[in-house]
PDB file of all heavy atoms in Angstrom:
ATOM      1  N   GLY A 117      19.123   9.211   9.359  1.00  0.00           N
ATOM      2  CA  GLY A 117      18.145   8.898   8.298  1.00  0.00           C
ATOM      3  C   GLY A 117      16.840   8.405   8.856  1.00  0.00           C
ATOM      4  O   GLY A 117      15.779   8.795   8.403  1.00  0.00           O
ATOM      5  N   ALA A 118      16.917   7.546   9.898  1.00  0.00           N
ATOM      6  CA  ALA A 118      15.711   7.024  10.509  1.00  0.00           C
ATOM      7  C   ALA A 118      14.932   8.130  11.206  1.00  0.00           C
ATOM      8  O   ALA A 118      13.676   8.147  11.147  1.00  0.00           O
ATOM      9  CB  ALA A 118      16.053   5.922  11.493  1.00  0.00           C
ATOM     10  N   ALA A 119      15.682   9.061  11.816  1.00  0.00           N
ATOM     11  CA  ALA A 119      15.000  10.144  12.549  1.00  0.00           C
ATOM     12  C   ALA A 119      14.267  11.088  11.618  1.00  0.00           C
ATOM     13  O   ALA A 119      13.280  11.712  11.950  1.00  0.00           O
ATOM     14  CB  ALA A 119      16.028  10.921  13.345  1.00  0.00           C
ATOM     15  N   ASP A 120      14.797  11.209  10.368  1.00  0.00           N
ATOM     16  CA  ASP A 120      14.191  12.078   9.379  1.00  0.00           C
ATOM     17  C   ASP A 120      13.080  11.386   8.593  1.00  0.00           C
ATOM     18  O   ASP A 120      12.496  12.026   7.700  1.00  0.00           O
ATOM     19  CB  ASP A 120      15.252  12.576   8.379  1.00  0.00           C
ATOM     20  CG  ASP A 120      16.168  13.598   9.037  1.00  0.00           C
ATOM     21  OD1 ASP A 120      15.770  14.166  10.071  1.00  0.00           O
ATOM     22  OD2 ASP A 120      17.292  13.824   8.514  1.00  0.00           O
ATOM     23  N   GLU A 121      12.755  10.161   8.906  1.00  0.00           N
ATOM     24  CA  GLU A 121      11.803   9.378   8.148  1.00  0.00           C
ATOM     25  C   GLU A 121      10.560   9.091   8.983  1.00  0.00           C
ATOM     26  O   GLU A 121      10.670   8.677  10.132  1.00  0.00           O
ATOM     27  CB  GLU A 121      12.458   8.048   7.742  1.00  0.00           C
ATOM     28  CG  GLU A 121      11.736   7.254   6.713  1.00  0.00           C
ATOM     29  CD  GLU A 121      12.538   6.034   6.299  1.00  0.00           C
ATOM     30  OE1 GLU A 121      12.555   5.033   7.061  1.00  0.00           O
ATOM     31  OE2 GLU A 121      13.179   6.060   5.225  1.00  0.00           O
ATOM     32  N   VAL A 122       9.424   9.336   8.373  1.00  0.00           N
ATOM     33  CA  VAL A 122       8.132   9.099   9.046  1.00  0.00           C
ATOM     34  C   VAL A 122       7.456   7.940   8.331  1.00  0.00           C
ATOM     35  O   VAL A 122       7.195   7.995   7.144  1.00  0.00           O
ATOM     36  CB  VAL A 122       7.248  10.336   8.983  1.00  0.00           C
ATOM     37  CG1 VAL A 122       5.863  10.068   9.687  1.00  0.00           C
ATOM     38  CG2 VAL A 122       7.915  11.518   9.664  1.00  0.00           C
ATOM     39  N   LYS A 123       7.141   6.875   9.084  1.00  0.00           N
ATOM     40  CA  LYS A 123       6.504   5.713   8.489  1.00  0.00           C
ATOM     41  C   LYS A 123       5.013   5.782   8.490  1.00  0.00           C
ATOM     42  O   LYS A 123       4.421   6.068   9.528  1.00  0.00           O
ATOM     43  CB  LYS A 123       6.993   4.437   9.208  1.00  0.00           C
ATOM     44  CG  LYS A 123       8.400   3.984   8.901  1.00  0.00           C
ATOM     45  CD  LYS A 123       8.648   2.617   9.535  1.00  0.00           C
ATOM     46  CE  LYS A 123      10.027   2.090   9.204  1.00  0.00           C
ATOM     47  NZ  LYS A 123      10.264   0.768   9.814  1.00  0.00           N
ATOM     48  N   VAL A 124       4.417   5.520   7.350  1.00  0.00           N
ATOM     49  CA  VAL A 124       2.954   5.453   7.208  1.00  0.00           C
ATOM     50  C   VAL A 124       2.606   4.134   6.500  1.00  0.00           C
ATOM     51  O   VAL A 124       3.229   3.775   5.533  1.00  0.00           O
ATOM     52  CB  VAL A 124       2.418   6.642   6.391  1.00  0.00           C
ATOM     53  CG1 VAL A 124       0.874   6.547   6.262  1.00  0.00           C
ATOM     54  CG2 VAL A 124       2.763   7.970   7.068  1.00  0.00           C
ATOM     55  N   GLY A 125       1.602   3.461   7.053  1.00  0.00           N
ATOM     56  CA  GLY A 125       1.178   2.191   6.453  1.00  0.00           C
ATOM     57  C   GLY A 125       0.256   2.353   5.280  1.00  0.00           C
ATOM     58  O   GLY A 125      -0.566   3.271   5.263  1.00  0.00           O
ATOM     59  N   VAL A 126       0.425   1.522   4.282  1.00  0.00           N
ATOM     60  CA  VAL A 126      -0.512   1.421   3.159  1.00  0.00           C
ATOM     61  C   VAL A 126      -1.056  -0.022   3.187  1.00  0.00           C
ATOM     62  O   VAL A 126      -0.410  -0.933   2.721  1.00  0.00           O
ATOM     63  CB  VAL A 126       0.154   1.745   1.791  1.00  0.00           C
ATOM     64  CG1 VAL A 126      -0.861   1.536   0.665  1.00  0.00           C
ATOM     65  CG2 VAL A 126       0.682   3.171   1.821  1.00  0.00           C
ATOM     66  N   LEU A 127      -2.235  -0.169   3.798  1.00  0.00           N
ATOM     67  CA  LEU A 127      -2.816  -1.460   4.078  1.00  0.00           C
ATOM     68  C   LEU A 127      -3.913  -1.741   3.079  1.00  0.00           C
ATOM     69  O   LEU A 127      -5.030  -1.165   3.213  1.00  0.00           O
ATOM     70  CB  LEU A 127      -3.323  -1.483   5.507  1.00  0.00           C
ATOM     71  CG  LEU A 127      -4.035  -2.743   6.012  1.00  0.00           C
ATOM     72  CD1 LEU A 127      -3.062  -3.917   6.057  1.00  0.00           C
ATOM     73  CD2 LEU A 127      -4.611  -2.508   7.388  1.00  0.00           C
ATOM     74  N   MET A 128      -3.697  -2.649   2.133  1.00  0.00           N
ATOM     75  CA  MET A 128      -4.678  -2.923   1.112  1.00  0.00           C
ATOM     76  C   MET A 128      -4.683  -4.400   0.691  1.00  0.00           C
ATOM     77  O   MET A 128      -3.739  -5.121   1.004  1.00  0.00           O
ATOM     78  CB  MET A 128      -4.442  -2.051  -0.113  1.00  0.00           C
ATOM     79  CG  MET A 128      -4.656  -0.594   0.129  1.00  0.00           C
ATOM     80  SD  MET A 128      -4.459   0.415  -1.368  1.00  0.00           S
ATOM     81  CE  MET A 128      -4.712   2.057  -0.672  1.00  0.00           C
ATOM     82  N   GLY A 129      -5.706  -4.820  -0.027  1.00  0.00           N
ATOM     83  CA  GLY A 129      -5.816  -6.210  -0.460  1.00  0.00           C
ATOM     84  C   GLY A 129      -4.963  -6.432  -1.684  1.00  0.00           C
ATOM     85  O   GLY A 129      -5.501  -6.584  -2.792  1.00  0.00           O
ATOM     86  N   PHE A 130      -3.640  -6.563  -1.493  1.00  0.00           N
ATOM     87  CA  PHE A 130      -2.750  -6.802  -2.618  1.00  0.00           C
ATOM     88  C   PHE A 130      -2.911  -8.209  -3.216  1.00  0.00           C
ATOM     89  O   PHE A 130      -2.495  -8.482  -4.327  1.00  0.00           O
ATOM     90  CB  PHE A 130      -1.314  -6.553  -2.222  1.00  0.00           C
ATOM     91  CG  PHE A 130      -1.018  -5.116  -1.921  1.00  0.00           C
ATOM     92  CD1 PHE A 130      -0.913  -4.642  -0.625  1.00  0.00           C
ATOM     93  CD2 PHE A 130      -0.902  -4.185  -2.971  1.00  0.00           C
ATOM     94  CE1 PHE A 130      -0.672  -3.305  -0.353  1.00  0.00           C
ATOM     95  CE2 PHE A 130      -0.659  -2.865  -2.706  1.00  0.00           C
ATOM     96  CZ  PHE A 130      -0.554  -2.397  -1.396  1.00  0.00           C
ATOM     97  N   THR A 131      -3.482  -9.126  -2.422  1.00  0.00           N
ATOM     98  CA  THR A 131      -3.892 -10.442  -2.937  1.00  0.00           C
ATOM     99  C   THR A 131      -5.370 -10.577  -2.648  1.00  0.00           C
ATOM    100  O   THR A 131      -5.920  -9.892  -1.802  1.00  0.00           O
ATOM    101  CB  THR A 131      -3.129 -11.578  -2.259  1.00  0.00           C
ATOM    102  OG1 THR A 131      -3.370 -11.564  -0.852  1.00  0.00           O
ATOM    103  CG2 THR A 131      -1.648 -11.448  -2.495  1.00  0.00           C
ATOM    104  N   GLY A 132      -6.045 -11.462  -3.399  1.00  0.00           N
ATOM    105  CA  GLY A 132      -7.451 -11.693  -3.149  1.00  0.00           C
ATOM    106  C   GLY A 132      -8.364 -11.149  -4.243  1.00  0.00           C
ATOM    107  O   GLY A 132      -7.909 -10.919  -5.343  1.00  0.00           O
ATOM    108  N   PRO A 133      -9.613 -10.908  -3.903  1.00  0.00           N
ATOM    109  CA  PRO A 133     -10.624 -10.637  -4.921  1.00  0.00           C
ATOM    110  C   PRO A 133     -10.580  -9.269  -5.599  1.00  0.00           C
ATOM    111  O   PRO A 133     -11.306  -9.038  -6.562  1.00  0.00           O
ATOM    112  CB  PRO A 133     -11.925 -10.837  -4.186  1.00  0.00           C
ATOM    113  CG  PRO A 133     -11.614 -10.575  -2.744  1.00  0.00           C
ATOM    114  CD  PRO A 133     -10.208 -11.084  -2.556  1.00  0.00           C
ATOM    115  N   ILE A 134      -9.719  -8.340  -5.096  1.00  0.00           N
ATOM    116  CA  ILE A 134      -9.592  -7.037  -5.814  1.00  0.00           C
ATOM    117  C   ILE A 134      -8.134  -6.747  -6.073  1.00  0.00           C
ATOM    118  O   ILE A 134      -7.724  -5.592  -6.224  1.00  0.00           O
ATOM    119  CB  ILE A 134     -10.235  -5.865  -5.028  1.00  0.00           C
ATOM    120  CG1 ILE A 134      -9.554  -5.681  -3.635  1.00  0.00           C
ATOM    121  CG2 ILE A 134     -11.735  -6.063  -4.880  1.00  0.00           C
ATOM    122  CD1 ILE A 134      -9.859  -4.326  -3.033  1.00  0.00           C
ATOM    123  N   GLU A 135      -7.306  -7.788  -6.197  1.00  0.00           N
ATOM    124  CA  GLU A 135      -5.892  -7.591  -6.339  1.00  0.00           C
ATOM    125  C   GLU A 135      -5.480  -6.842  -7.594  1.00  0.00           C
ATOM    126  O   GLU A 135      -4.407  -6.250  -7.643  1.00  0.00           O
ATOM    127  CB  GLU A 135      -5.151  -8.944  -6.328  1.00  0.00           C
ATOM    128  CG  GLU A 135      -5.561  -9.917  -7.404  1.00  0.00           C
ATOM    129  CD  GLU A 135      -4.926 -11.291  -7.239  1.00  0.00           C
ATOM    130  OE1 GLU A 135      -4.497 -11.636  -6.109  1.00  0.00           O
ATOM    131  OE2 GLU A 135      -4.894 -12.008  -8.265  1.00  0.00           O
ATOM    132  N   SER A 136      -6.341  -6.778  -8.598  1.00  0.00           N
ATOM    133  CA  SER A 136      -6.009  -6.034  -9.799  1.00  0.00           C
ATOM    134  C   SER A 136      -6.280  -4.560  -9.620  1.00  0.00           C
ATOM    135  O   SER A 136      -5.811  -3.737 -10.388  1.00  0.00           O
ATOM    136  CB  SER A 136      -6.777  -6.558 -11.015  1.00  0.00           C
ATOM    137  OG  SER A 136      -8.179  -6.305 -10.876  1.00  0.00           O
ATOM    138  N   LEU A 137      -7.054  -4.201  -8.595  1.00  0.00           N
ATOM    139  CA  LEU A 137      -7.344  -2.764  -8.330  1.00  0.00           C
ATOM    140  C   LEU A 137      -6.339  -2.086  -7.424  1.00  0.00           C
ATOM    141  O   LEU A 137      -6.031  -0.907  -7.562  1.00  0.00           O
ATOM    142  CB  LEU A 137      -8.751  -2.633  -7.685  1.00  0.00           C
ATOM    143  CG  LEU A 137      -9.949  -3.094  -8.471  1.00  0.00           C
ATOM    144  CD1 LEU A 137     -11.227  -2.849  -7.662  1.00  0.00           C
ATOM    145  CD2 LEU A 137     -10.042  -2.418  -9.809  1.00  0.00           C
ATOM    146  N   THR A 138      -5.842  -2.825  -6.436  1.00  0.00           N
ATOM    147  CA  THR A 138      -5.054  -2.202  -5.382  1.00  0.00           C
ATOM    148  C   THR A 138      -3.695  -1.610  -5.786  1.00  0.00           C
ATOM    149  O   THR A 138      -3.295  -0.609  -5.199  1.00  0.00           O
ATOM    150  CB  THR A 138      -4.860  -3.178  -4.208  1.00  0.00           C
ATOM    151  OG1 THR A 138      -4.423  -4.458  -4.713  1.00  0.00           O
ATOM    152  CG2 THR A 138      -6.154  -3.369  -3.471  1.00  0.00           C
ATOM    153  N   PRO A 139      -2.984  -2.159  -6.793  1.00  0.00           N
ATOM    154  CA  PRO A 139      -1.703  -1.519  -7.114  1.00  0.00           C
ATOM    155  C   PRO A 139      -1.844  -0.031  -7.498  1.00  0.00           C
ATOM    156  O   PRO A 139      -1.040   0.782  -7.086  1.00  0.00           O
ATOM    157  CB  PRO A 139      -1.206  -2.352  -8.291  1.00  0.00           C
ATOM    158  CG  PRO A 139      -1.777  -3.710  -8.034  1.00  0.00           C
ATOM    159  CD  PRO A 139      -3.149  -3.409  -7.503  1.00  0.00           C
ATOM    160  N   MET A 140      -2.860   0.310  -8.268  1.00  0.00           N
ATOM    161  CA  MET A 140      -3.055   1.691  -8.674  1.00  0.00           C
ATOM    162  C   MET A 140      -3.575   2.543  -7.503  1.00  0.00           C
ATOM    163  O   MET A 140      -3.245   3.747  -7.417  1.00  0.00           O
ATOM    164  CB  MET A 140      -4.031   1.779  -9.843  1.00  0.00           C
ATOM    165  CG  MET A 140      -3.423   1.324 -11.167  1.00  0.00           C
ATOM    166  SD  MET A 140      -2.017   2.396 -11.656  1.00  0.00           S
ATOM    167  CE  MET A 140      -1.529   1.599 -13.190  1.00  0.00           C
ATOM    168  N   MET A 141      -4.349   1.951  -6.611  1.00  0.00           N
ATOM    169  CA  MET A 141      -4.787   2.657  -5.417  1.00  0.00           C
ATOM    170  C   MET A 141      -3.613   2.989  -4.509  1.00  0.00           C
ATOM    171  O   MET A 141      -3.437   4.120  -4.054  1.00  0.00           O
ATOM    172  CB  MET A 141      -5.852   1.837  -4.670  1.00  0.00           C
ATOM    173  CG  MET A 141      -7.184   1.712  -5.382  1.00  0.00           C
ATOM    174  SD  MET A 141      -8.256   0.433  -4.653  1.00  0.00           S
ATOM    175  CE  MET A 141      -8.336   1.000  -2.946  1.00  0.00           C
ATOM    176  N   ALA A 142      -2.775   1.968  -4.270  1.00  0.00           N
ATOM    177  CA  ALA A 142      -1.572   2.177  -3.438  1.00  0.00           C
ATOM    178  C   ALA A 142      -0.652   3.185  -4.108  1.00  0.00           C
ATOM    179  O   ALA A 142      -0.097   4.069  -3.461  1.00  0.00           O
ATOM    180  CB  ALA A 142      -0.877   0.859  -3.186  1.00  0.00           C
ATOM    181  N   GLY A 143      -0.487   3.051  -5.433  1.00  0.00           N
ATOM    182  CA  GLY A 143       0.350   3.981  -6.141  1.00  0.00           C
ATOM    183  C   GLY A 143      -0.130   5.394  -6.071  1.00  0.00           C
ATOM    184  O   GLY A 143       0.654   6.365  -5.984  1.00  0.00           O
TER     185      GLY A 143
END
């Protein structure tokens, strides 16, 4: 399972001054 999985980071400001924007961006 691990071999078939490729990890990619989603690095965003989930807390802080734009925290209401990032959930939809990450989504």
Side-chain angles (χ1 to χ4, degrees):
D120 286 341
E121 192 174 79
V122 179
K123 285 187 177 182
V124 179
V126 177
L127 179 64
M128 294 185 181
F130 292 104
T131 61
I134 62 164
E135 61 187 19
S136 67
L137 297 182
T138 48
M140 286 297 179
M141 291 168 56

